[in-house]
Amino acid sequence: MDSKVQEVINLYPKEIAQRLYQVRTLIYATAQEHNIGAITETLKWGEPSYISPVGSTIRLGWKKQTPDNYYVYFHCKTSIIETIKEVYGEKFSYQGNRALVFNINQTLNNATLAHCLSLSLKYKK
């Protein structure tokens, strides 16, 4: 794990950090399942980001203003969120055309989120 990414995640509240680590693990597992290639882990805008060699960047975040929520961001100039809305509709909460919003008390559906992540990871493929 990139040490700078780990430092940032560890600054978040414990429950949020655990959820973001869970999403991170799912990103790598999904990339492996779809033979995406090496994922680059870095910080973008001070947040953990995952760059796919054949897709679009996924960024993870948490904001002090919404302490019970965490976010999975997709590039806003893609159709990824639009596609997720078409497929899953009300199953997710959204932040415009750029993020899925999760509440800490919400159960994470790994299979559904993995599908959403795969849309980004192989976006240019």
Side-chain angles (χ1 to χ4, degrees), residues 101-113:
V101 181
F102 297 95
N103 185 278
I104 192 65
N105 298 315
Q106 177 181 353
T107 301
L108 195 60
N109 183 322
N110 283 346
T112 303
L113 181 55

Side-chain angles (χ1 to χ4, degrees), residues 81 85 94-99:
I81 289 290
K85 285 180 180 179
Y94 304 93
Q95 185 183 64
N97 64 343
R98 58 187 240 144

Side-chain angles (χ1 to χ4, degrees), residues 19-31 33-34 58-60 70-74 80-81 84 87-88 91-94 99-102 106-121:
R19 292 299 179 103
L20 292 181
Y21 281 126
Q22 182 180 358
V23 175
R24 178 189 181 274
T25 299
L26 193 56
I27 289 169
Y28 281 101
T30 303
E33 179 182 333
H34 292 277
I58 298 168
R59 190 166 41 93
L60 306 179
Y70 60 99
Y71 303 83
V72 177
Y73 293 98
F74 301 96
I80 296 167
I81 289 290
I84 294 170
V87 174
Y88 295 107
K91 288 187 178 185
F92 288 109
S93 294
Y94 304 93
L100 297 176
V101 181
F102 297 95
Q106 177 181 353
T107 301
L108 195 60
N109 183 322
N110 283 346
T112 303
L113 181 55
H115 177 245
C116 297
L117 296 171
S118 74
L119 294 173
S120 184
L121 292 169

